Amino acid sequence: MRKKIVAGNWKMHGSPESVTSLCEGLVNGVNASAPECALIVFPPFVYLSQVQAALAGAQVHLGAQNVSQFDEGAYTGEISINMLKASGCEYVLIGHSERRHVFGETLETVVAKFKQAKQMGLTPILCVGETLEEREADKTSTVLAAQLQSVCEALPGDTTVFDGAVIAYEPVWAIGTGKSATPEQAQAVHAQIRQFLTEIGQINANSVSVLYGGSVKSDNAAQLFEQPDIDGALVGGASLDADQFMRIASCNKSS
Ligand code: PEP
């Protein structure tokens, strides 16, 4: 059975004080009514230890927004997988569109990071998605296929590349714009992702959790989660409000 997940990407937001109150809101929310799905939060690196302590004992998992593709060494400004694990992280976002488009992360870098996370025991959430120009040029499936294929090519012959990993379909035009994909648009792409994983020989394609991301709010989450191939959401802006994040999570039922 595929894991249901609602994950919150806090991006570069927060202060020690706002992080404390956000965590209090999450703990209170989980204690009042535990959601049926797994909850994950992705704070900025500097708040990981604070969040780990604040969420201790609560059913909320911790992840990082990015990671180095290197183990350790002279890589100024980078954070390794082992450092993330030591800070309590179980998950890491790989290839978020802001990393690809604002910071110029290439397919090669994204693939190296995915491989590193997988091999060193941190669950990668691979973010994929097309730009508006690519969608309008009818290139959505080609772009997504290239993003997924490149990861498989880095692990040749492995038919279980995505086992234990998570994929987040995040159309670039829907991130932070308030313009979510419709449930039908998102469902069509999620089904294509699964189909593509099968075609490239991933034997457990039907067991991979595929999340939707892009302007998910408490008022559109339920319709998205009703779709058969949408297993949850990666939420940006709305995850900074504990009540709204918990309302989104409450829509993601286990069956
Ligand atoms: C994101 O940052 O991954 C995201 C989906 O952002 P938002 O929900 O704000 O569109």
Side-chain angles (χ1 to χ4, degrees):
M1 199 162 89
R2 300 201 294 263
K3 198 169 184 175
K4 300 276 184 178
I5 297 170
V6 168
N9 174 14
W10 296 359
K11 309 197 190 199
M12 198 176 72
H13 290 293
S15 62
E17 297 74 25
S18 70
V19 163
T20 298
S21 79
L22 182 47
C23 289
E24 277 170 10
L26 293 175
V27 171
N28 291 341
V30 170
N31 288 344
S33 170
E36 293 179 24
C37 61
L39 290 183
I40 313 168
V41 291
F42 294 87
F45 289 131
V46 292
Y47 300 130
L48 285 172
S49 298
Q50 183 188 341
V51 174
Q52 182 189 23
L55 297 179
Q59 275 308 306
V60 185
H61 302 270
L62 193 57
Q65 299 174 17
N66 186 21
V67 70
S68 172
Q69 68 266 46
F70 302 111
D71 285 342
E72 69 166 324
Y75 301 108
T76 303
E78 292 291 287
I79 308 281
S80 72
I81 298 261
N82 282 335
M83 292 171 187
L84 295 182
K85 283 163 82 173
S87 304
C89 290
E90 297 168 77
Y91 294 85
V92 62
L93 297 181
I94 304 284
H96 187 279
S97 87
E98 287 149 17
R99 300 295 324 162
R100 295 183 197 249
H101 296 285
V102 182
F103 297 100
E105 264 186 30
T106 60
L107 273 185
E108 291 69 32
T109 309
V110 169
V111 167
K113 292 181 177 190
F114 180 93
K115 202 169 154 187
Q116 178 84 341
K118 186 113 200 278
Q119 288 172 347
M120 294 186 68
L122 208 56
T123 300
I125 300 191
L126 178 73
C127 303
V128 295
E130 81 288 1
T131 62
L132 186 59
E133 294 72 44
E134 289 163 343
R135 173 162 279 263
E136 285 175 350
D138 217 7
K139 289 191 181 147
T140 301
S141 45
T142 319
V143 169
L144 294 180
Q147 290 172 345
L148 295 168
Q149 176 99 46
S150 55
V151 173
C152 290
E153 280 170 1
L155 295 157
D158 186 347
T159 58
T160 59
V161 172
F162 287 98
D163 283 22
V166 176
I167 294 173
Y169 167 55
E170 298 207 303
V172 179
W173 48 271
I175 297 181
T177 59
K179 186 177 184 299
S180 173
T182 64
E184 295 72 25
Q185 282 174 322
Q187 165 57 28
V189 176
H190 282 229
Q192 270 178 9
I193 288 173
R194 262 184 233 297
Q195 174 67 26
F196 184 71
L197 293 183
T198 307
E199 281 167 16
I200 56 178
Q202 293 298 300
I203 53 175
N204 298 317
N206 282 325
S207 319
V208 180
S209 293
V210 184
L211 313 182
Y212 167 76
S215 299
V216 175
K217 306 267 184 303
S218 52
D219 57 7
N220 62 8
Q223 299 94 304
L224 287 159
F225 298 154
E226 272 166 16
Q227 304 301 313
D229 287 292
I230 299 183
D231 303 307
L234 178 54
V235 184
S239 71
L240 296 168
D241 175 334
D243 288 343
Q244 179 152 197
F245 187 63
M246 294 308 299
R247 281 202 301 278
I248 294 170
S250 70
C251 298
N252 201 3
K253 308 283 183 206
S254 59
S255 58

